[in-house]
Structure formats: C-alpha cells, structure tokens
Amino acid sequence: MNFALTEEQQMIVDTVRSFVETEIYPHEDEVERTGVVPRELGQDIARKCKALGFFGCNFPEEVGGAGLDHTSFTLVERELGRGSMGLTVFFGRPSGILMACNDEQREKYLLPAVKGEKFDALAMTEPDAGSDVRGMKCFARQDGDDWIVNGTKHFISHADIADFVIVFIATGEEDTPRGPKKKITCFLVDRGTPGFEIRKGYNSVSHRGYNNCVLTFDDCRLPSAQILGEVHKGFDVANDWLFATRLTVAATSVGRARRAFDYALNYAAERKQFGKPIGANQGVSFKLADMITEIDAADLLTLSAAWRLDNGLPSNREIASAKVFATEMLARVTDEAIQIFGGMGLMDDLPLARFWRDARVERIWDGTSEIQRHIISRDLLRPLGA
C-alpha cells in the first residue's frame, strides 16, 4: 500500500491550491455579499484555467482533455473545494456524461465543452422527484422523429451560465416486479430552444453566487438527434456521472474542512485567555484533535474510492461511504471551528459562517445521506439474500 502522491499529483495539488488562493480567495467576499459573479470575472477565471492546461482535465486526451485519472481528478476537486463554488465553477469540469455523445454531438457539444467554448449544466431533479428519480413527471411524447416535452426541473445548478443543458426526461413506462417505473431518456437541450426556458431559482443560504435555476418545457420540440445515448436508457449514461459527482462532493468537503480547520488551528495558537493560548486548554485542543482525525479519515476514504475506480474494482459502496462521511464530517468541523472562535466565528469578518452554511447542502445534493446509507446497506445485505 503506497499512500504517497506521485510527483505529478503533488504538482497538481500545488498548482490548483495556488490558483484557488490567488484567483478565487480575493473575490469571495464580494460574491458572498452580492450573490453575483460578474460575467467578466467568470470568463477571466476560465481563461486562466485554460492557460494552466486544466480546463476539461477530467476528459481523455483524445477529446482535448488532460486525461487525469479518477485519483488525480479527485485531488483537483479537493483543492477547488477550498474556494467559493460560485467562482470555481469556471475552473471548467464539464459533465463526464458527455463522453456518450455520438460523432455529430461531439462536434456540437463535447469538444466545445472541453475547450471551454460552451458551458453545460445537468438537469434531473424535479419538484416531485428528488431522491425518487423515476418519479419524474417531466415527460416527452414521440411525434414522428421528434419529441414533445412538457414539465419542470428545479434545483439545477449553474444553468444560468449554461449554453446547453443535459436533461433527463421520462419517455415511457415499464412494468416491473415492484410496479410501473418510468423509462428515462437523456436529451441535449440548447439555451434558446423554443418552448424551453431557464429561470432564476430559489435564494439559498448555501454557496452564494453558485445559482440554482428552474427549467420549464412547454411543448418544447426536440429532434431525436438531441438524444444522448439511446431512447429509454438514460440511466445507462448516468451511472458514471453519479459516481463522479459523489466523489466530487466528498473531495470538496475535505478541502473546505481543511480550510476551516486551518483557521481554527491558528486562532487556537494565537488567541490568549487567562494568560495562555486557548489551544493549551483541553476543551479546545481535543476539538482540534477530533477535527483533524475526521478530516484525514474522510480524505483517505475519498482517495481510496477514487483509486478503486481507477483499478476497475467495485466502488459503489465505497463512494457512498466517502460521500456520507465527508459531508457529515464537514458539518461537524465547521461547527467546531466556529465554537473555537466563539462569537467572532459568526461575524462576516471571517468566512467561517459561510463555510458552516455552505456545508449544509452537501448532505442533500447528489444523493442525500439517507440515500448513501441505503446504497451502503444494500451492498452489504444483498449478497446474503436479505
């Protein structure tokens, strides 16, 4: 077992961390205050990311990406997790699901996305279909070689900056031993398509500047050429994406937790009460010990799951374990960091209150903690016939 980073991986960590500290940190307070990332700033971050050779780094070299393996890309996401998501979204990582594009779609969507010429967003969640994805009501009926779509998607991250959206839509129904289930098809939908609208979503306490949107379809006509993958087989193209996004959430949670911990550690060493640093008191020092232990454990769980993916090993349970542990760890660490700072921890002078608020959503999106525990327990019990 070798836990050391390769020379290339250490270079990736150092480069991305430096980028976040110099290009992201200086703009965070303004984004937090306004909830807006100026278009010019986003374009500047994307341009600098391209100059580093990291734009689309999660894609193979044959399509213009950097060809990073899962472990190396997880390190990228971990370091990006230190910064505001409203800003780091422009450090382009298009959805890996675009690798399912056919030749014509590659020219129109995949290659421009990897080059940073187009931004994508991904839409699955609906008002009545969150964890129960097959309960979606957004429906497409076939009309000759076209599909007519009606329905609504919501909580769609960064669709406000997207040139096209990867949308999962019900296109039929099938009988199963557990009752009828929707057949799902994946479509590529361009901004500006008649009958398709991207609207501002809800105001969120988490990740200001990283906006959610509502998508509406009103007799939106899509040609069959817009189908990604095959009809009724949307989940076939979604599986790898779900692995990748859950790993990303785990990794960014680790990065954000380390940043919060650094604030708490330095403060505990500098802040004096009763004539000595507060870190000299076990009430504080033991908090620090628990925090770093949990952070390191989450880090190892996450990198181990990525390593399993790279080596073709079963990893569904391990990724779920990393996601649930890292996100819940982040909640505990940010809360304890604020406790160490006391009242100052809740003031706008420090980013700790933001870290604390941002942490809350990580246990919900990309599969709730309850869904992750369902995946883990199912993986354990099914081989035993339970």
Side-chain angles (χ1 to χ4, degrees):
M1 300 174 70
N2 183 359
F3 292 96
L5 299 184
T6 65
E7 185 176 340
E8 180 183 358
Q9 288 172 335
Q10 189 60 56
M11 180 274 293
I12 288 171
V13 169
D14 294 341
T15 302
V16 179
R17 183 175 299 183
S18 176
F19 185 93
V20 172
E21 291 175 350
T22 58
E23 304 296 340
I24 303 298
Y25 285 4
H27 305 289
E28 288 182 333
D29 288 345
E30 184 66 11
V31 171
E32 180 69 9
R33 185 183 66 82
T34 64
V36 174
V37 178
R39 180 178 178 84
E40 299 76 17
L41 175 57
Q43 292 174 337
D44 188 53
I45 292 171
R47 179 181 58 79
K48 291 175 178 176
C49 176
K50 293 174 196 174
L52 283 176
F54 274 92
F55 203 99
C57 62
N58 53 321
F59 278 79
E61 293 180 0
E62 59 263 30
V63 298
L68 296 186
D69 58 22
H70 290 288
T71 304
S72 298
F73 182 60
T74 297
L75 292 170
V76 171
E77 293 286 18
R78 188 186 73 185
E79 297 310 312
L80 291 176
R82 291 173 172 267
S84 162
M85 286 188 69
L87 295 162
T88 59
V89 67
F90 293 97
F91 194 100
R93 293 96 75 210
S95 175
I97 202 171
L98 290 172
M99 285 301 295
C101 284
N102 59 34
D103 290 342
E104 183 178 340
Q105 292 168 343
R106 281 191 170 208
E107 293 298 322
K108 187 176 180 182
Y109 298 105
L110 171 60
L111 298 181
V114 176
K115 292 176 184 176
E117 297 168 355
K118 289 184 177 181
F119 271 89
D120 67 292
L122 197 142
M124 187 178 290
T125 303
E126 298 180 7
D128 294 317
S131 296
D132 179 17
V133 175
R134 286 189 184 267
M136 65 176 59
K137 296 178 181 177
C138 187
F139 191 85
R141 62 175 177 83
Q142 193 162 11
D143 181 29
D145 196 41
D146 294 342
W147 296 81
I148 311 299
V149 186
N150 284 282
T152 302
K153 299 286 182 181
H154 78 163
F155 294 157
I156 309 308
S157 298
H158 65 264
D160 55 321
I161 64 171
D163 298 288
F164 68 95
V165 184
I166 305 161
V167 189
F168 291 84
I169 300 170
T171 49
E173 197 169 75
E174 61 184 335
D175 292 324
T176 73
R178 296 186 177 184
K181 284 191 175 180
K182 301 283 178 62
K183 295 179 179 179
I184 309 298
T185 302
C186 186
F187 290 84
L188 298 165
V189 187
D190 293 308
R191 177 185 288 274
T193 299
F196 172 56
E197 184 182 4
I198 301 175
R199 294 190 284 106
K200 183 180 183 297
Y202 313 95
N203 291 326
S204 173
V205 301
S206 297
H207 299 300
R208 289 174 181 164
Y210 184 76
N211 299 318
N212 69 84
C213 296
V214 175
L215 313 184
T216 58
F217 296 86
D218 184 8
D219 285 339
C220 176
R221 181 176 291 271
L222 300 174
S224 292
Q226 297 303 112
I227 292 174
L228 182 63
E230 298 181 40
V231 175
H232 304 324
K233 294 186 177 180
F235 282 128
D236 289 354
V237 295
N239 286 337
D240 287 343
W241 165 75
L242 289 171
F243 284 156
T245 58
R246 288 169 181 168
L247 263 181
T248 289
V249 174
T252 56
S253 294
V254 172
R256 200 165 300 122
R258 287 204 187 278
R259 186 176 174 192
F261 175 80
D262 288 344
Y263 273 94
L265 178 63
N266 290 323
Y267 187 75
E270 297 169 0
R271 169 71 165 168
K272 291 185 178 180
Q273 290 287 279
F274 305 106
K276 61 181 180 181
I278 61 172
N281 300 304
Q282 288 182 349
V284 173
S285 64
F286 282 14
K287 288 183 188 297
L288 295 170
D290 289 342
M291 291 160 73
I292 197 60
T293 299
E294 287 202 62
I295 293 170
D296 286 345
D299 203 0
L300 290 172
L301 266 177
T302 303
L303 292 175
S304 173
W307 178 87
R308 292 181 67 87
L309 269 184
D310 283 331
N311 286 274
L313 298 172
S315 53
N316 196 22
R317 173 173 64 83
E318 289 78 7
I319 291 172
S321 293
K323 202 269 184 184
V324 71
F325 186 80
T327 56
E328 294 186 357
M329 171 278 297
L330 176 60
R332 291 188 290 268
V333 166
T334 54
D335 191 76
E336 290 288 43
I338 288 173
Q339 192 68 20
I340 289 172
F341 270 84
M344 278 305 299
L346 293 169
M347 301 299 111
D348 288 340
D349 303 67
L350 296 167
L352 292 177
R354 168 163 61 87
F355 298 159
W356 184 53
R357 285 186 284 101
D358 290 350
R360 189 59 188 88
V361 74
E362 309 297 345
R363 289 175 277 163
I364 297 173
W365 59 14
D366 295 295
T368 64
S369 291
E370 290 74 20
I371 288 294
Q372 304 312 311
R373 288 185 167 91
H374 171 70
I375 292 169
I376 296 164
S377 58
R378 182 182 60 188
D379 188 85
L380 294 171
L381 290 167
R382 272 189 176 175
L384 302 178

